[in-house]
Amino acid sequence: MPNKKALITGATSGIGLATARILADNNYDVIICGRRKERLEELASELSGKVNVQMLSFDVSDKKDVKAAFESLDSEWRTIDVLINNAGNAHGLSPLNEGDIEDWDAMMDINVKGLLYVSNEVIPEMVKSKKGHIVNIGSIAGKEVYPNGNVYCASKHAVDAINKGMLIDLNQHNIKVTAINPGLVETEFSQVRFKGDKERAEKVYKGFDPLMAKDIAETIYFVVSRPAHVKICDLTIFPTAQASATIVNKSE
Ligand code: NDP
Ligand code: 8X3
């Protein structure tokens, strides 16, 4: 049997990177995506001893770029078994009245429209082949709204709604759909949110044991490796110290 194929957006860092590694360890051929080509090349050389690897460097928020990237794929890579819609980030953390319009655009364009553009390229082949699994990386920010989270929370609430829509519309085509909604995971997420302010980013994860990218990747592998008749639809995953978007048991 040929290996299954997984496409992972945002594979240059954090959750996507850990997911590409764990899927390759479990014999998935992988299409790794992200804007940072050097990181894609490093990961491709790490994984290509184990499985077949394709790199696609594109900006998920640019629909022409997305289309061109998928058109560049050879036909044997066009039928994807597992799509991990992971690329995304928060940009800024401030009251709505002090928000930056560029940050708002980035979050809606990347987290919401980017996920749709990529899905639009992958779903038609899944429908034709009557199989496939889409894993959408949402967030606790898609279930709750927290102070200053406003537009990031809106983008992740949209991901939650899109996930539910996919679940309903793709059911008749035998396509599984899963939302994974993490709480606090220590990745480059807060560095991006705070625009490279490392000290502020590190503070987010101080005083408790946050989730690590590998914890989410292991859960994703669990979800995609269930038997054909089992579909996990929606999971929220917290570090043990977390109880809601705002309740975190910190030691300091
Ligand atoms: P990272 O910042 O570590 O990784 C983000 C990934 O997204 C990178 O690989 C980046 O690649 C990619 N990405 C960002 N913008 C674009 C773009 N315009 N086009 C293509 N790729 C892009 O963060 P995480 O691993 O934490 O985040 C992954 C997902 O998990 C996101 O959707 C995030 O919202 C979600 N999440 C994270 C949580 C956390 O606490 N860390 C909690 C809940 C959800 P590149 O820059 O190379 O393009
Ligand atoms: C990322 C985690 O707490 O900023 O989605 O919502 S949080």
Side-chain angles (χ1 to χ4, degrees), residues 125-226:
E125 281 297 325
M126 286 185 170
V127 168
K128 258 192 228 159
S129 58
K130 285 222 149 276
K131 65 180 169 62
H133 194 158
I134 301 173
V135 178
N136 294 309
I137 307 303
S139 170
I140 187 57
K143 303 284 183 184
E144 297 176 34
V145 178
Y146 54 84
N148 304 327
N150 44 67
V151 177
Y152 177 65
C153 296
S155 76
K156 288 298 184 179
H157 274 67
V159 172
D160 188 49
I162 292 164
N163 187 74
K164 288 175 178 145
M166 284 183 178
L167 188 62
I168 294 165
D169 295 346
L170 303 181
N171 185 54
Q172 62 185 308
H173 301 295
N174 192 40
I175 298 169
K176 296 188 191 184
V177 178
T178 306
I180 306 270
N181 303 297
L184 291 155
V185 192
E186 188 165 10
T187 62
E188 292 176 18
F189 176 87
S190 291
Q191 288 182 42
V192 174
R193 169 170 255 173
F194 300 128
K195 304 177 195 303
D197 183 340
K198 260 193 146 186
E199 209 178 310
R200 193 169 173 203
E202 279 167 10
K203 228 173 138 194
V204 174
Y205 310 106
K206 286 232 170 90
F208 72 107
D209 275 337
L211 291 169
M212 302 311 284
K214 191 164 174 265
D215 299 316
I216 303 301
E218 283 171 351
T219 308
I220 292 171
Y221 176 62
F222 177 80
V223 162
V224 300
S225 59
R226 291 310 82 212

Side-chain angles (χ1 to χ4, degrees), residues 10 12-13 15 35-36 59-60 86 89 138 152 156 183 185 187:
T12 54
S13 170
I15 294 169
R35 290 165 302 180
R36 287 170 287 182
D59 181 339
V60 295
N86 164 75
N89 269 128
Y152 177 65
K156 288 298 184 179
V185 192
T187 62

